[in-house]
């Protein structure tokens, strides 16, 4: 399982995309099957670049005969995916618990 960082904006996106697609390729042995899980529970500060990273991971996963699943996405990430018409492309499981402002 891969984890998205707490911050994923335009500045971090290239490095995160490289690391995640490298991990995906490493975990996709010929016997690997089923969706590749991406844990988004730590994601707090992000922009549309987070969706671009996930779409790149999806593209690589498809080239390897797999899909991805985004676990515990923040509600705003789901809303952003819906706004851009990407909600159906990015399988998102239960939402992460709300973060309290202290």
């Amino acid at each position: 399982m891969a984890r998205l960082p707490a911050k994923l904006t335009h500045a971090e996106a290239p490095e995160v995309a490289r690391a995640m697609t490298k991990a995906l390729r490493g975990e996709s042995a010929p016997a690997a099957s089923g969706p590749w899980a991406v844990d988004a529970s730590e994601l707090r500060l992000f922009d549309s670049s987070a969706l671009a990273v996930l779409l790149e991971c999806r593209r690589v996963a498809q080239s390897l005969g797999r899909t991805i699943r985004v676990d515990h996405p923040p509600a705003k990430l789901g809303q952003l995916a819906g706004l851009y018409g990407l909600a159906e492309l990015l399988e998102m499981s239960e939402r992460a618990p709300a973060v309290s402002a202290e």
Side-chain angles (χ1 to χ4, degrees):
M1 174 183 285
R3 291 185 183 275
L4 290 178
K7 182 180 179 186
L8 181 47
T9 62
H10 182 72
E12 297 81 23
E15 181 180 332
V16 172
R18 276 191 298 276
M20 291 189 64
T21 57
K22 181 179 178 182
L24 173 57
R25 286 184 178 103
E27 291 179 25
S28 290
S33 63
W36 186 61
V38 176
D39 183 355
S41 62
E42 294 179 20
L43 192 59
R44 296 292 179 260
L45 178 62
F46 59 92
D47 59 20
S48 61
S49 298
L51 293 176
V53 168
L54 292 170
L55 287 172
E56 177 63 10
C57 290
R58 180 181 182 272
R59 185 191 65 76
V60 171
Q62 284 185 317
S63 75
L64 298 169
R66 298 187 67 188
T67 60
I68 69 165
R69 181 187 72 236
V70 182
D71 293 336
H72 313 293
K76 289 189 181 203
L77 184 64
Q79 292 168 353
L80 194 58
L83 178 67
Y84 285 107
L86 301 173
E88 290 183 19
L89 293 177
L90 299 170
E91 181 183 330
M92 294 188 182
S93 66
E94 71 182 71
R95 301 282 186 246
V99 178
S100 62
E102 295 182 1

